[in-house]
Amino acid sequence: MSIHPSAVIAPGAVVPGSCTVGPFSTIGPHVVLGEGCILVSHVVLDGRTRIGARNTFHPFCAVGVAPQDLKYGGEPTELEIGDGNTIRENVTVSRGTAGGGGVTRIGSNCLLMAGVHIGHDSLVGSHCILANCATLAGHVIIEDYATVGAFSPVHQHCTVGTYAFIGG
């Protein structure tokens, strides 16, 4: 295990020995990391977050943070992330809300480019690409192999179908 001395890992967090935790990263007490994950630097993983194997998190992403929903009252909601995803700089991923099913999910082998936001209770399939600054409001479904182009917002309660491409 490679953990930079400036990283903060809360008691209770699960970090396998095959993971790399870079400088100034923080991992909350309810986070479970899979094998071979890399936190480059300045990464925040929080909440009840389960992350699969071989995911890479780049600087200044905030993953598993509280939802941006005024109705959220601190309920123990979740985020689930599959395997082999690349989460680039400044990405934010909110966990679910009690009123929306309680879980946000991201599949496997996705690329979330810089500045992407995935809102609460959203479901992102596998092999998806969300280009720079694409934003998903809460309760959005992105099906497998879909691409959301740069600067494209997706309104809440919308579905982007399998292999669909949304351009900015």
Side-chain angles (χ1 to χ4, degrees), residues 100-122:
V103 64
T104 300
R105 281 190 186 92
I106 299 171
S108 296
N109 303 305
C110 294
L111 171 59
L112 309 181
M113 294 185 192
V116 164
H117 173 71
I118 297 178
H120 59 85
D121 304 295
S122 291

Side-chain angles (χ1 to χ4, degrees), residues 30-34 46-53 55 57 63-64 77-83 103-106:
H30 302 291
V31 174
V32 177
L33 279 174
D46 197 21
R48 296 179 187 281
T49 299
R50 288 188 308 276
I51 298 169
N55 291 286
F57 298 88
V63 175
T77 56
E78 299 178 355
L79 169 64
E80 297 174 358
I81 298 176
D83 301 326
V103 64
T104 300
R105 281 190 186 92
I106 299 171

